[in-house]
Amino acid sequence: MAKRRFQSEALQYTYDKFIGDDPGQNASYEQELINIEVAKRLYDLRAKAGLSQRELAKKVGTTASAICRLEDADYEGHSLSMLRRIAAALDKRVEIRFVPIKREDSRRTSLKTTQRKRKRVRKGALQKAS
C-alpha cells in the first residue's frame, strides 16, 4: 500500500510516527476513514433533507438513537441493508464503487497529466499567435 502524503507537515509527522509502515495500523487508519466518511455522508443527507434524527428514524422505521449511532464516526456497525433503508427514505440509492488502493496517487497523476496538457495547448496557441 502506498504511504499517505499530507500537505500539512504536522499531519505528516503524526501519520509517520503513529501509522508509518505498520500494516495493522494502516488498515485501522483506513477503516476509520471509511467510518468517518459514512457518518458524514449520512449526516449531510439528513441535514440537506431538513430532517431531525427523530424524523428520519420514523421514515426509516428505526429509533433516533440508531440514526445517532450511524452518524457517529466511531460507529463500526454500518450495514448495507440499513444504508439502503435510509437512502430509500431520502429518495436516494446506495452506490458501491471499487477504486484503486492508490487513490491519491492516481488523482495526483491525472491532475499532473491535465496540467501538462493545458500547458501544451497554451504553448501551441502562443506559437500560432506569434
Side-chain angles (χ1 to χ4, degrees), residues 67-109:
I67 300 299
C68 182
R69 275 193 307 273
L70 291 166
E71 292 180 358
D72 184 346
D74 292 331
Y75 183 67
E76 296 180 356
H78 300 101
S79 72
L80 185 55
S81 63
M82 180 56 87
L83 295 177
R84 283 183 177 157
R85 288 169 54 194
I86 292 170
L90 298 172
D91 294 322
K92 304 285 182 192
R93 66 182 175 90
V94 175
E95 184 176 284
I96 298 172
R97 298 180 312 136
F98 292 90
V99 295
I101 291 174
K102 296 180 181 182
R103 210 169 29 200
E104 294 83 35
D105 295 340
S106 64
R107 284 185 194 151
R108 245 183 250 126
T109 302

Side-chain angles (χ1 to χ4, degrees), residues 26-97:
N26 200 308
S28 294
Y29 176 80
E30 294 296 326
Q31 184 61 50
E32 289 305 315
L33 286 180
I34 291 168
N35 292 340
I36 291 167
E37 185 175 354
V38 171
K40 182 177 180 344
R41 287 187 181 203
L42 289 174
Y43 171 82
D44 289 346
L45 280 171
R46 180 181 60 76
K48 187 175 180 181
L51 298 172
S52 68
Q53 290 178 339
R54 184 170 278 121
E55 291 167 330
L56 178 58
K58 187 174 180 180
K59 285 180 150 235
V60 172
T62 190
T63 62
S65 64
I67 300 299
C68 182
R69 275 193 307 273
L70 291 166
E71 292 180 358
D72 184 346
D74 292 331
Y75 183 67
E76 296 180 356
H78 300 101
S79 72
L80 185 55
S81 63
M82 180 56 87
L83 295 177
R84 283 183 177 157
R85 288 169 54 194
I86 292 170
L90 298 172
D91 294 322
K92 304 285 182 192
R93 66 182 175 90
V94 175
E95 184 176 284
I96 298 172
R97 298 180 312 136

Side-chain angles (χ1 to χ4, degrees), residues 120-130:
R120 277 183 276 178
V121 168
R122 276 189 241 131
K123 186 177 177 182
L126 289 174
Q127 287 175 347
K128 287 180 184 178
S130 301

